[in-house]
């Protein structure tokens, strides 16, 4: 009888140990999330092992989707085209909350203290603020011009002090939203900044907010250290006297770069990367490239800038050497390279090849492919180092 009791106790201990071993403990600092646009799902991937860890589905229409990380990098908030916000636990690999908050949405941001998730909407327009823990609605800020007409909201970016900046497409305005007290938010409006701002970005220190202008040559810049100076035009007339090409895909200003003393930005309708001095914002150079740039992204070291392109050149990626302002490498990693993302220290870059249903991991030192992973129509790639960065 005693022997049977000892065997039972040993079996119970083994079961307990097995239960403790699953799931394996891991940190979130080396993880990433990949949008699978056609499937309405995301993959959770590991930078260290270059593998997929989990797939989370049921996230709605992800045909134009983006996401932001929670402050602790455990959760991501996925913004879908259908107006849905999905909160995903990337360590557990599961969906924990989801709300449908608009008819058509294209992205969002999270406040500097991590308490507030903000969504920017095409339809019905405006910005909504949500509690990051529960996704309960905190505030609804309509985007109306001075005549009461609604506008699509684009270019939503977080700023220091629980503020957000965004642009109104039809109205041609930039607004700064102070959400420190979200249920009593305050808005500062900058009118007549240019025609049809189509996207916007914030510098990593939060000082500058820049809106790209679809209806005008140039960009609109707000210096948040000197907001009383208002919005000024930078790189005016960069397309004058040049035959612009048909625009098959709008450049993404979120894919711009600051590298050393320069800012690298995609030009609308031109086969060029624009280079500006990142303090005076005067044009410093132009780099001829293979096609119309979409993302212009610097390696974490700032030494090189990688560029992908709109159709029909979207099978190509080029690498610009910053000191010489010359293209030093042209790669053909797959069909429809939509997005790029560097690992935290830049040893590798991950590319999404939508039409080949794969992810491509490239060594940035050798330009050799480390690995290819299957993915269902992948688009955006977002690594967890973004959790500690503004404007991401």
């Amino acid at each position: 009888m005693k022997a049977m009791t000892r065997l039972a106790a040993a079996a119970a201990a083994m079961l307990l140990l097995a239960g403790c071993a699953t799931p394996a403990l891991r940190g979130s600092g080396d993880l990433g999330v990949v949008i699978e646009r056609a499937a309405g799902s995301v993959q959770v991937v590991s930078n260290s092992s270059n593998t997929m860890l989990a797939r989370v589905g049921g996230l709605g229409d992800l045909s134009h989707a983006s996401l932001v990380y929670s402050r602790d990098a455990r959760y991501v908030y996925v913004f879908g085209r259908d107006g849905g916000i999905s909160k995903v636990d990337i360590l557990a690999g599961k969906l924990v909350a989801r709300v449908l908050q608009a008819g058509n949405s294209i992205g969002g941001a999270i406040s500097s203290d991590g308490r507030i998730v903000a969504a920017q909407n095409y339809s019905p327009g405006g910005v909504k603020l949500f509690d990051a823990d529960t996704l309960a609605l905190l505030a609804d800020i309509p985007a109306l011009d001075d005549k009461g007409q609604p506008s699509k909201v684009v270019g939503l970016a977080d700023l220091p002090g629980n503020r957000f900046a965004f642009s109104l497409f039809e109205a041609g305005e930039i607004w700064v939203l102070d959400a420190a007290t979200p249920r009593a938010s305050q808005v500062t409006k900058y009118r007549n900044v240019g025609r049809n701002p189509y996207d916007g970005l914030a510098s990593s220190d939060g000082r500058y907010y820049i809106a790209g202008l679809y209806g005008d040559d140039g960009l609109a810049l707000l210096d948040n250290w000197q907001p009383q100076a208002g919005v000024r035009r930078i790189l005016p007339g960069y397309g004058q006297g040049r035959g612009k090409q048909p625009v098959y895909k709008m450049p993404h200003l979120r894919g711009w770069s600051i590298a050393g003393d320069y800012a690298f930005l995609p030009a609308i309708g031109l086969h060029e990367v624009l280079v500006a001095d990142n303090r005076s914002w005067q044009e410093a150079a132009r780099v001829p490239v293979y096609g119309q740039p979409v993302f212009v992204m610097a390696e974490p070291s700032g030494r090189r800038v990688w560029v992908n392109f709109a159709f029909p050149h979207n099978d190509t990626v080029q690498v610009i050497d910053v000191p010489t302002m010359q293209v030093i490498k042209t790669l053909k990693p797959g069909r429809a390279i939509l997005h790029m993302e560097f690992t935290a220290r830049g040893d590798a870059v991950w590319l999404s090849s939508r039409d080949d249903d794969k992810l491509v991991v490239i060594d940035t030192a050798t330009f050799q492919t480390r690995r290819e992973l299957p993915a269902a129509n992948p688009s955006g790639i977002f690594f967890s180092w973004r959790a500690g960065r503004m404007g991401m």
Side-chain angles (χ1 to χ4, degrees), residues 126-378:
V127 169
K128 290 184 179 179
L129 304 180
F130 298 87
D131 182 276
D133 289 332
T134 66
L135 295 187
L137 180 65
L138 300 175
D140 184 353
I141 298 95
L144 304 175
D145 65 15
D146 57 354
K147 297 179 181 178
Q149 297 300 308
S151 280
K152 301 180 184 70
V153 171
V154 297
L156 178 68
D158 60 292
L159 300 176
N162 294 328
R163 295 176 299 147
F164 299 95
F166 53 93
S167 299
L168 278 59
F169 181 80
E170 287 84 2
E173 300 180 4
I174 291 174
W175 291 9
V176 176
L177 171 65
D178 185 340
T181 306
R183 297 187 187 276
S185 301
Q186 303 294 316
V187 177
T188 302
K189 302 176 182 180
Y190 300 89
R191 304 193 187 278
N192 302 314
V193 302
R195 290 182 297 166
N196 304 131
Y198 72 91
D199 196 9
L201 58 92
S203 58
S204 60
D205 58 5
R207 176 172 181 176
Y208 298 109
Y209 177 80
I210 300 175
L213 303 175
Y214 186 67
D216 288 326
D217 263 351
L219 302 96
L221 179 142
L222 174 65
D223 184 342
N224 290 294
W225 290 8
Q226 302 176 45
Q228 70 282 357
V231 173
R232 65 186 176 98
R233 189 68 58 87
I234 61 171
L235 302 177
Y238 69 76
Q240 288 181 359
R242 298 177 179 237
K244 288 192 177 182
Q245 305 296 316
V247 179
Y248 293 105
K249 183 175 178 61
M250 291 298 292
H252 282 248
L253 287 186
R254 291 299 174 89
W256 79 313
S257 300
I258 285 185
D261 297 326
Y262 302 105
F264 291 76
L265 302 111
I268 298 176
L270 299 174
H271 293 190
E272 294 177 337
V273 171
L274 305 176
V275 185
D277 181 281
N278 66 17
R279 281 296 176 257
S280 70
W281 296 101
Q282 299 297 310
E283 183 177 323
R286 299 185 185 206
V287 182
V289 289
Y290 183 68
Q292 293 178 26
V294 177
F295 286 99
V296 179
M297 302 181 68
E299 295 178 3
S301 68
R303 173 60 193 264
R304 294 181 296 194
V305 172
W306 292 57
V307 187
N308 71 335
F309 303 101
F311 177 86
H313 302 107
N314 59 3
D315 64 342
T316 301
V317 174
Q318 289 192 308
V319 184
I320 297 170
D321 176 64
V322 171
T324 63
M325 300 290 182
Q326 299 289 321
V327 172
I328 59 170
K329 191 71 176 179
T330 298
L331 303 170
K332 300 275 188 179
R335 296 180 300 160
I337 302 296
L338 297 188
H339 287 261
M340 306 180 288
E341 182 83 329
F342 293 98
T343 54
R345 299 194 183 191
D347 63 294
V349 60
W350 288 49
L351 311 175
S352 61
S353 177
R354 181 196 62 196
D355 292 353
D356 286 332
D357 291 315
K358 68 180 181 181
L359 303 169
V360 184
V361 185
I362 295 178
D363 188 300
T364 55
T366 65
F367 302 116
Q368 299 300 307
T369 298
R370 288 185 178 178
R371 187 158 191 180
E372 294 184 352
L373 291 78
N377 290 124

